[in-house]
Amino acid sequence: MTSKSTTSNPLVAEYVVQRLAALGIKHAFGVPGDYSFPIDIAIETCDGLTWIGCSNELNAAYSADGYARIYGAAILSTTYVVGETAALAGVMGCKAERVPVFHLVGAPSTRLTRTRRHMHHSFADGELDQFRALAEVSACACAYLTPQNTIAEMERVIFAALSQRRPAYIQIPQDYALMPIVGVPVDGVPLAEAPTFSSNALELDAALTAIMARLAKAKSPVILPAFTIARYGLQKELEALLTATGIPFAMPGMSKGLLSESHPLYLGMYNGESSQGDVGKIVEGADLVLDVGGVAYCDGDTDAFSAHLDSSKVVTVWPDHVEIGFVAETGGCGNATYGPIHMKDILEALTNKAPKFKTPAFSRPAPFPASGASGDQVTVASFYSRLQQFLAPGDVLIVDAGTSSLVATALLLPDGAQFQHQLLWACIGWGTAAALGVALADPSRRVILIQGDGGHQLTANQIGVMGRYRVNPIILLLNNGIFGVEEIFQGNNNPDKIRNFDRLAPWQYHKLPEAMGCRDWLCTSVETNAEIDAALEKARKHPGAAYIEILVGCEKLVPAAPPEVLDRIYQTGPPKA
């Protein structure tokens, strides 16, 4: 089996890989499989593209997710059904959080499909196409390639994935993968130059006029930037709008780290009733809220739906359209919509035309407070107070779902630091593999991962992949022996009443990197504040990776969610009158 074409045109597998590599993607994450051999060989032989062999398909999907959050797009390769379904939770997370990953899947040959053979990785019923429905819900666009349609279909799925910033699914039968494409190959362009959808000029003008009318009446506007600003790479455009208007901004949870938290217009984190300081009062008291990018307003973003925003005062600039809330003549609230409009176009237009506001005085967000004497045992509070001092400009802080994500958004990031978490999809274990992708996407930054032991046990085998490819993260593993976040959301604040199903196998975590072949790693286990101070200092100076196991103990539970919050999240009881 070969992936080298003997004709003037490349083979289907070669062309697909080369077309994606032309976007500037330099790494492809995956697990090999027999049906996907042509794809895997094409990746391995493609100039400028490096195969990253992962410990399993789910970890490969998580790593591609992390890579795409930094670079803007990524490649994932898995085999038919058993490989692609193993990756499915990670790919669906990319769809939820708008991360463009190109999922390449090798499938049985068309000869096998037509003759309904009972193949491995199937139900042995001859229906080899029936699994495509899984791809339809995991991606914004799906392509099933032939030599005749490869060129056109690749342009379609690339356009869709980059326009929507969501994953695309590309399946290639094994026999077609080894055939030359038909037609004239397309010369690709770097990601920043790749075309996406355009605004309708009339709709753009109408939306701009409507927004300007609202701004003209506003006295106390506020901007809420959504995480999609980062997905579309529009941070500079947002900063230009802030500078031009002087409107202060607050960050919902999914948007943390989107802009510098030392920005003079930064109010702090907005999270409903758990907002920092006076942020909730300022945002909800504003006479105009400019939602730039489409805030998710999910339970994690709003402290269990405790945000109290008047929808008639909200103007939402979605990635592809604009919605303007208003009070209807009937007394209710409605909205007017305009589109298609590219978010970049409306940001640039507002920057040029919006009025300048006098920025109100407000209290600057404070760093995480100091806690814990040097000789005391580490607690959640003392750990995060030390992490606050440890963070440096340029760091990428990756926070796994779980108790870490509940606390870490309270940290004040230094200028130039980034923050990545998966707040909406919220798969525990995502952080380990995502850290690998982030580190490969931008080796100039130091990646710092905070992860609980519960999530880590799901994906820890990706540490061996980190060692193989010589990435140098600092991993801070919080070991309390339980799925702590599950206890929080059961309302349990008593370590003597921890559910047996939330208890974990007692791993010796700091010994994992050596067992997995990681060389020159700084690995240690700490229990006191003095020990963690020393370990963090060594980790910052160490030229390689560092793995610090922090023994917190289950008696140091994060405070449980109160009953009223649990009722808002899950609504398992009867509705209140």
Side-chain angles (χ1 to χ4, degrees):
M1 186 178 297
T2 179
S3 71
K4 287 298 180 182
S5 172
T6 58
T7 70
S8 58
N9 272 355
L11 306 179
V12 169
E14 289 177 334
Y15 179 79
V16 169
V17 170
Q18 291 166 6
R19 182 65 186 85
L20 295 176
L23 295 171
I25 301 171
K26 299 189 184 311
H27 301 84
F29 302 88
V31 176
D34 52 359
Y35 295 126
S36 63
F37 283 162
I39 298 171
D40 301 338
I41 294 170
I43 290 170
E44 192 168 81
T45 57
C46 179
D47 291 340
L49 191 61
T50 299
W51 169 265
I52 305 296
C54 296
S55 53
N56 57 50
E57 290 87 355
L58 179 60
N59 277 339
Y62 288 160
S63 292
D65 179 333
Y67 187 96
R69 287 170 185 250
I70 301 301
Y71 179 69
I75 298 172
L76 168 67
S77 175
T78 65
T79 197
Y80 172 74
V81 182
V82 294
E84 59 185 298
T85 54
L88 199 56
V91 177
M92 285 185 173
C94 293
K95 186 175 183 181
E97 305 222 346
R98 302 191 73 140
V99 182
V101 169
F102 295 97
H103 187 187
L104 309 183
V105 175
S109 72
T110 57
R111 294 177 180 86
L112 295 170
T113 302
R114 292 190 191 106
T115 54
R116 299 174 57 83
R117 296 298 180 90
H118 293 183
M119 299 303 299
H120 61 284
H121 303 342
S122 78
F123 293 150
D125 57 5
E127 298 290 341
L128 297 181
D129 286 340
Q130 65 183 299
F131 304 101
R132 290 182 177 182
L134 297 171
E136 301 289 350
V137 299
S138 69
C140 71
C142 299
Y144 308 100
L145 299 187
T146 70
Q148 291 75 22
N149 75 6
T150 292
I151 294 173
E153 284 292 87
M154 285 302 296
E155 297 312 299
R156 180 179 68 84
V157 297
I158 290 172
F159 180 86
L162 298 184
S163 293
Q164 299 182 42
R165 291 310 198 263
R166 287 191 166 113
Y169 177 92
I170 302 166
Q171 187 185 88
I172 314 175
Q174 199 170 22
D175 54 340
Y176 286 170
L178 297 169
M179 296 180 185
I181 61 170
V182 176
V184 179
V186 173
D187 292 329
V189 295
L191 185 64
E193 301 172 23
T196 59
F197 70 95
S198 301
S199 299
N200 178 286
L202 292 177
E203 295 286 319
L204 175 61
D205 287 345
L208 181 61
T209 299
I211 296 173
M212 290 295 294
R214 297 295 292 269
L215 286 169
K217 296 178 181 179
K219 302 297 182 184
S220 58
V222 166
I223 290 177
L224 284 182
F227 69 102
T228 51
I229 291 289
R231 303 295 190 265
Y232 285 85
L234 296 177
Q235 292 94 326
K236 290 183 180 179
E237 286 78 1
L238 177 59
E239 287 181 344
L241 176 63
L242 294 168
T243 300
T245 62
I247 299 175
F249 70 97
M251 287 296 186
M254 289 184 70
S255 307
K256 185 172 179 64
L258 177 67
L259 296 180
S260 171
E261 295 188 351
S262 61
H263 195 291
L265 295 174
Y266 178 56
L267 294 165
M269 298 299 298
Y270 174 68
N271 188 29
E273 293 180 2
S274 292
S275 300
Q276 293 179 320
D278 293 329
V279 175
K281 180 179 179 181
I282 294 171
V283 171
E284 294 174 3
D287 57 6
L288 178 65
V289 175
L290 188 57
D291 173 349
V292 182
V295 175
Y297 299 114
C298 62
D299 48 0
D301 241 356
T302 59
D303 185 29
F305 313 115
S306 66
H308 305 291
L309 291 173
D310 183 344
S311 59
S312 69
K313 297 179 181 179
V314 178
V315 171
T316 304
V317 179
W318 294 95
D320 59 358
H321 68 284
V322 171
E323 289 186 9
I324 298 180
F326 61 87
V327 177
E329 294 180 359
T330 58
C333 294
N335 61 71
T337 66
Y338 307 82
I341 296 172
H342 199 295
M343 180 164 54
K344 181 178 180 180
D345 294 335
I346 204 78
L347 285 174
E348 291 177 342
L350 286 173
T351 298
N352 292 328
K353 295 187 176 183
K356 181 80 171 183
F357 289 86
K358 182 180 179 181
T359 304
F362 58 86
S363 299
R364 298 291 302 155
F368 198 96
S371 175
S374 179
D376 292 346
Q377 184 174 359
V378 177
T379 64
V380 170
S382 70
F383 164 69
Y384 281 99
S385 70
R386 281 155 175 79
L387 181 62
Q388 176 71 85
Q389 300 302 315
F390 176 72
L391 292 174
D395 286 346
V396 183
L397 181 61
I398 300 176
V399 182
D400 200 42
T403 54
S404 303
S405 63
L406 299 178
V407 182
T409 52
L411 295 166
L412 188 65
L413 301 178
D415 190 34
Q418 294 186 7
F419 188 97
Q420 298 290 342
H421 63 162
Q422 198 195 48
L423 185 61
L424 175 58
W425 194 242
C427 267
I428 62 171
W430 166 87
T432 307
L436 169 67
V438 170
L440 289 170
D442 188 354
S444 70
R445 293 178 178 270
R446 196 69 188 266
V447 171
I448 300 169
L449 167 66
I450 308 173
Q451 189 166 54
D453 48 348
H456 200 49
Q457 287 203 6
L458 299 181
T459 55
N461 48 356
Q462 197 75 340
I463 291 173
V465 184
M466 293 179 180
R468 176 184 176 185
Y469 294 101
R470 308 292 293 180
V471 299
N472 298 320
I474 297 174
I475 299 175
L476 305 175
L477 191 283
L478 297 171
N479 179 0
N480 63 4
I482 60 172
F483 287 115
V485 71
E486 312 299 351
E487 289 294 312
I488 290 171
F489 288 118
Q490 290 179 75
N492 178 30
N493 206 19
N494 186 343
D496 295 327
K497 294 184 178 181
I498 293 171
R499 296 283 186 178
N500 188 55
F501 56 68
D502 280 334
R503 296 191 180 275
L504 300 171
W507 292 10
Q508 293 182 291
Y509 293 94
H510 67 286
K511 296 181 179 180
L512 293 177
E514 182 179 2
M516 292 185 186
C518 300
R519 302 292 177 254
D520 303 320
W521 281 42
L522 171 67
C523 299
T524 188
S525 179
V526 301
E527 195 168 1
T528 68
N529 293 321
E531 290 172 342
I532 194 171
D533 287 338
L536 288 173
E537 183 178 359
K538 289 179 181 178
R540 181 65 76 179
K541 296 176 181 178
H542 186 67
Y547 188 107
I548 303 173
E549 176 187 4
I550 302 160
L551 300 172
V552 181
C554 63
E555 69 276 6
K556 303 296 192 299
L557 289 172
V558 174
E564 61 272 17
V565 173
L566 295 175
D567 183 59
R568 283 204 309 265
I569 297 175
Y570 300 112
Q571 299 183 23
T572 54
K576 296 178 180 179

